Amino acid sequence: MFSEKFNPRFIRSLLHSTPLSLAEVASLVNQYPLNLEQSAFLLSASDNAAACKLVIEAACKLRSARWQRRLFLMPPLYISDGDPGRGGCLDHCVYCPWRNGNIPIQHLKRLPPEAVAFEARHLLSLGYGDVELVAATDSKLLKAERAAEFVKAAKSAGAKNIGINLFPFRQPENYRQLVLAGCTFTIVWQETYQAGIYRKMHPKGPKANFNYRLNAHDRALIGGIKAVGLAFLGGLADWRFETLAAIAHAQYLKEEYGANIIFGMPRWKNGAGIPMKLAPNSYGDQEFEFVGALYSLAVPDSLLWFSTREHFDLSARCAKGGGCMFTLDCSTEVGGYTQKGGFAQFPVYTRSFGEGVKWLQQLGFDPKVNLPW
Ligand code: SF4
């Protein structure tokens, strides 16, 4: 399990690597897959614009050779924002507008499987091939049997790959049930790999258990899931530490299980009723682009997933070369593609399938509607 291998002290020690010269950076970027120490050396050069450029160009070249500018389109389909009898989401994440008690009760919504099938059919009719099912921590969805009904509903609508972004299940056996229902990937963002900050951000609720979440990908992969998504939420903690921790996590899952890796790239954005105010931190657009490039050099077969929290132009710039997942149509309201009156989890950019595909093609990308695995 990753919690037994994860060594924050070692990662912190790597952050004090001596900055490299430009010539050393130029040599190192060609030595992919980079190990953790090499990744830390490149991180130490991240405030040098010329070094950043070398890293970004090398990653773009690598992704272009590996993926021939293919991008994989993935719409999220929100199925529940919580339990109406218990204040909504059972969790209290400080940064999230869906945290317990924040959504007015009249706006809480849970879709039944038939409505999920309807939403999925709508997305597929636009041209998509895969969907990601997303929900808050809902007591009804803590049981794999219930979650499997939603996966089956999306499958019956015709989706090829179905991912789940739900509260992680307890046993590998739970994931076996989901695989049998048609689930092919799971998304569990760790939010932060710094246990102390994690505790502050998740003061109570099921998500408060740091190690339970840290080991979620192990359980899913043991249960037969083939692709897993991991990420830190940019803005909560020191992005350099988080980046190295995410790389260590991905490399472990690859070595241990041969997992296909998706690196999420979410950055925190303010939303309705969030009390938290983050000090502006240094995880700006340049650092964001650099992190994506470093992920590609450290885990060359991985896909990056650019969130619609970001402006499309920034995501397209960071996705150069391909080898990335991309969202066009996006609603973070439950049932938000075919119904009105939901409560958005956070504000997003959205672009229609037809117009978005054309735009990506004009930029030289080759958008695909199914994941490559
Ligand atoms: S991030 Fe997820 S688990 Fe946390 S409050 Fe929001 S919906 Fe609930």
Side-chain angles (χ1 to χ4, degrees):
M1 293 284 162
F2 185 58
S3 63
E4 290 148 25
K5 307 278 168 153
F6 181 45
N7 188 341
R9 188 175 296 180
F10 175 61
I11 289 177
R12 260 184 217 106
S13 74
L14 292 179
L15 289 174
H16 301 294
S17 307
T18 321
L20 299 181
S21 69
L22 217 47
E24 288 169 319
V25 171
S27 159
L28 197 51
V29 293
N30 292 314
Q31 295 177 36
Y32 51 81
L34 302 179
N35 62 31
L36 212 52
E37 287 83 350
Q38 291 169 318
S39 302
F41 275 122
L42 289 186
L43 264 176
S44 73
S46 63
D47 46 11
N48 175 333
C52 274
K53 193 161 172 271
L54 287 173
V55 172
I56 289 164
E57 282 173 358
C60 172
K61 205 164 132 203
L62 180 162
R63 287 201 302 264
S64 181
R66 169 72 180 82
W67 298 102
Q68 288 90 40
R69 290 169 289 135
R70 276 177 292 156
L71 291 184
F72 304 95
L73 303 181
M74 183 65 65
L77 196 173
Y78 280 67
I79 64 176
S80 167
D81 50 20
D83 186 334
R86 297 172 69 183
C89 181
L90 302 183
D91 274 304
H92 297 251
C93 312
V94 174
Y95 47 83
C96 178
W98 276 15
R99 71 185 182 284
N100 188 273
N102 194 52
I103 303 183
I105 194 119
Q106 68 275 19
H107 288 304
L108 285 170
K109 233 191 229 184
R110 267 177 177 152
L111 299 185
E114 313 77 64
V116 170
F118 187 75
E119 282 264 303
R121 264 195 298 277
H122 170 77
L123 287 168
L124 297 172
S125 75
L126 300 177
Y128 293 103
D130 299 338
V131 294
E132 178 210 19
L133 303 180
V134 186
T137 311
D138 180 342
S139 52
K140 285 263 163 52
L141 285 165
L142 298 179
K143 284 207 167 25
E145 298 79 31
R146 182 68 177 153
E149 288 176 30
F150 291 97
V151 173
K152 282 182 194 159
K155 194 85 194 159
S156 73
K160 184 172 177 211
N161 290 291
I162 299 155
I164 51 166
N165 187 341
L166 310 176
F167 186 77
F169 296 97
R170 191 160 291 281
Q171 302 292 345
E173 184 49 42
N174 302 138
Y175 287 97
R176 264 181 215 115
Q177 282 176 271
L178 287 153
V179 170
L180 287 175
C183 177
T184 52
F185 68 99
T186 63
I187 299 294
V188 182
W189 304 151
Q190 184 63 27
E191 320 295 8
T192 171
Y193 286 89
Q194 302 206 28
I197 295 177
Y198 188 94
R199 274 194 293 278
K200 280 191 197 140
M201 294 291 150
H202 308 96
K204 51 186 175 171
K207 196 166 164 180
N209 187 333
F210 179 78
N211 278 350
Y212 180 86
R213 197 165 185 86
L214 206 56
N215 293 331
H217 305 81
D218 290 80
R219 298 193 294 277
L221 291 160
I222 294 168
I225 297 278
K226 298 285 181 239
V228 290
L230 56 93
F232 67 90
L233 178 60
L236 299 187
D238 170 23
W239 66 272
R240 291 181 179 83
F241 174 89
E242 304 280 22
T243 302
L244 279 190
I247 289 173
H249 195 179
Q251 290 183 335
Y252 159 81
L253 295 171
K254 227 175 156 40
E255 280 163 29
E256 195 73 17
Y257 307 103
N260 295 307
I261 301 292
I262 298 163
F263 279 108
M265 300 286 296
R267 280 195 295 187
W268 180 76
K269 305 278 169 180
N270 211 338
I274 295 187
M276 184 175 85
K277 293 276 173 286
L278 286 184
N281 74 19
S282 56
Y283 192 45
D285 290 355
Q286 184 177 312
E287 290 81 7
F288 178 76
E289 186 174 9
F290 176 87
V291 167
L294 194 59
Y295 283 156
S296 296
L297 294 176
V299 187
D301 279 344
S302 61
L303 295 180
L304 310 178
W305 190 352
F306 289 101
S307 155
T308 42
R309 297 171 194 233
E310 303 299 337
H311 195 280
F312 281 110
D313 291 339
L314 174 64
S315 297
R317 189 175 94 208
C318 298
K320 267 194 196 144
C324 299
M325 291 164 71
F326 216 87
T327 299
L328 293 170
D329 284 276
C330 186
S331 170
T332 62
E333 293 176 20
V334 173
Y337 298 108
T338 61
Q339 304 176 11
K340 298 234 173 304
F343 190 95
Q345 191 187 21
F346 46 82
V348 289
Y349 294 97
T350 180
R351 205 160 199 164
S352 75
F353 180 89
E355 191 244 323
V357 164
K358 212 178 286 168
W359 169 70
L360 289 171
Q361 286 168 337
Q362 278 163 0
L363 292 176
F365 290 111
D366 180 11
K368 301 287 182 199
V369 297
N370 295 122
L371 284 174
W373 308 299

